[in-house]
Amino acid sequence: MLRKTISIVNLISVIILIAWNGYANTGNYNGKSVGELSAEYDNLFTPASYAFSIWGVIFLMLTVFGIYGVYVAFSKKHQKLEKDFKTDFIATTSPWFLAANIFCGLWVALWLDENIASSVVMMFGILFCLLICIKQLEMEIWDAPFPIIAFVWWPLCLYSGWISVAAIANVAAWLNGAYEIAMETQVIITIVMIIIAFFINSLMIWLRNMREFALVGVWALAAIFVRFQSAVDTIDPSSSSLIGYIALGLAMALFIQSGIHGSMNVDTNPGKKFLEWRKSK
């Protein structure tokens, strides 16, 4: 009974989060959308605006996670199966998945209220909860069946991958708003942040096998490059090119690492796991 309740609450939290984000981005809350405030708190780490469309994919996958959880909780077939902490994802991710969604909703409210310092705390709260889910499930370090990979691991990978990038951008926005930082220093800080993002994503590939997490990093770094292909008023063209091409180079390096890692782990390739799953049906 508890598992059923948790699955329903998780799905409802996803639906509320999506609805709240949709409402918040109409500008009806506090007169501005998340994107408009992001432009006001502009920093050099912020990627091109199209990059934020990834939230559509994330929300879709979170909905898949929620629906699959309800299906597993209510399915008689799944109720009969023996489960351990790795496969019983509903119980294992509770209450952390719900808490991550609550923090995410609070982040939107605090950001729109221009309480940037508090929004940073909420952002790291989301990331902390998602990392706990990853650790508790031992994600990507055991040979899971395809449904667990696609309906549990992928949603959490995309969510945590983007939040890890967004947390860096959030800190940069707070620093720019709270302190007068010389443009030369901002350029250096931005390059350091890009390198940090690259190493975090590289570690997730090689230590946790989380290529999907790293591909979100590829998306973000490539979008930083795209942003700096147009003139940025606040910095000189040489600094703009330097940031852009460092981001592009590290995005390519991440993509290549993901490909190499995938070729080294072909036996657990999701495509192969899908075929095995279909054959067992």
Side-chain angles (χ1 to χ4, degrees):
M1 186 63 186
L2 179 60
R3 190 174 285 102
K4 292 179 180 179
T5 302
I6 293 170
S7 69
I8 292 171
V9 170
N10 281 345
L11 180 57
I12 290 172
S13 75
V14 171
I15 294 169
I16 291 173
L17 181 61
I18 294 171
W20 167 229
N21 271 269
Y23 175 77
N25 279 292
T26 63
N28 290 323
Y29 181 89
N30 218 16
K32 293 177 182 178
S33 70
V34 172
E36 288 169 344
L37 269 176
S38 294
E40 289 187 18
Y41 287 90
D42 187 34
N43 64 83
L44 300 180
F45 188 81
T46 303
S49 58
Y50 78 84
F52 297 95
S53 64
I54 196 173
W55 273 113
V57 180
I58 292 170
F59 286 146
L60 173 63
M61 293 304 291
L62 291 182
T63 304
V64 168
F65 178 95
I67 292 172
Y68 184 63
V70 171
Y71 165 71
V72 168
F74 284 84
S75 166
K76 291 182 179 179
K77 180 184 74 173
H78 283 277
Q79 288 174 14
K80 294 176 182 177
L81 295 175
E82 287 289 330
K83 295 183 177 68
D84 60 15
F85 67 95
K86 293 181 288 188
T87 53
D88 189 8
F89 66 93
I90 299 169
T92 302
T93 60
S94 177
W96 303 106
F97 179 77
L98 174 62
N101 291 339
I102 293 171
F103 279 129
C104 193
L106 290 173
W107 179 88
V108 173
L110 290 167
W111 179 261
L112 291 177
D113 285 334
E114 299 191 54
N115 195 335
I116 308 303
S118 295
S119 77
V120 171
V121 176
M122 293 301 106
M123 186 66 77
F124 280 100
I126 304 168
L127 185 58
F128 175 78
C129 291
L130 293 175
L131 291 177
I132 291 292
C133 289
I134 290 168
K135 183 178 184 300
Q136 296 284 78
L137 289 169
E138 294 190 0
M139 271 177 55
E140 308 267 9
I141 57 175
W142 62 282
D143 191 14
F146 180 76
I148 292 291
I149 294 172
F151 308 142
V152 179
W153 289 0
W154 285 353
L156 293 175
C157 273
L158 293 178
Y159 198 2
S160 57
W162 183 253
I163 291 298
S164 71
V165 173
I168 297 173
N170 204 168
V171 169
W174 169 67
L175 288 173
N176 273 9
Y179 303 98
E180 290 291 333
I181 303 175
M183 188 50 62
E184 296 80 3
T185 304
Q186 287 190 44
V187 170
I188 294 170
I189 291 172
T190 301
I191 291 171
V192 170
M193 286 180 166
I194 289 171
I195 293 171
I196 289 171
F198 168 77
F199 277 111
I200 289 172
N201 282 276
S202 296
L203 289 173
M204 295 306 279
I205 293 172
W206 297 106
L207 298 183
R208 297 294 308 196
N209 303 319
M210 291 173 64
R211 297 187 296 272
E212 302 84 4
F213 184 108
L215 289 175
V216 176
V218 172
W219 170 266
L221 293 178
I224 292 175
F225 165 74
V226 170
R227 177 194 175 189
F228 285 99
Q229 295 315 289
S230 302
V232 178
D233 296 336
T234 53
I235 62 174
D236 61 89
S238 61
S239 296
S240 180
S241 295
L242 179 63
I243 293 172
Y245 283 105
I246 288 175
L248 177 62
L250 295 182
M252 293 173 64
L254 268 183
F255 186 78
I256 292 168
Q257 285 185 76
S258 297
I260 292 171
H261 185 275
S263 67
M264 291 169 61
N265 293 273
V266 68
D267 289 340
T268 55
N269 181 281
K272 183 176 180 180
K273 301 301 293 183
F274 172 74
L275 294 176
E276 291 175 358
W277 174 65
R278 290 297 299 166
K279 189 179 292 186
S280 68
K281 301 295 284 182

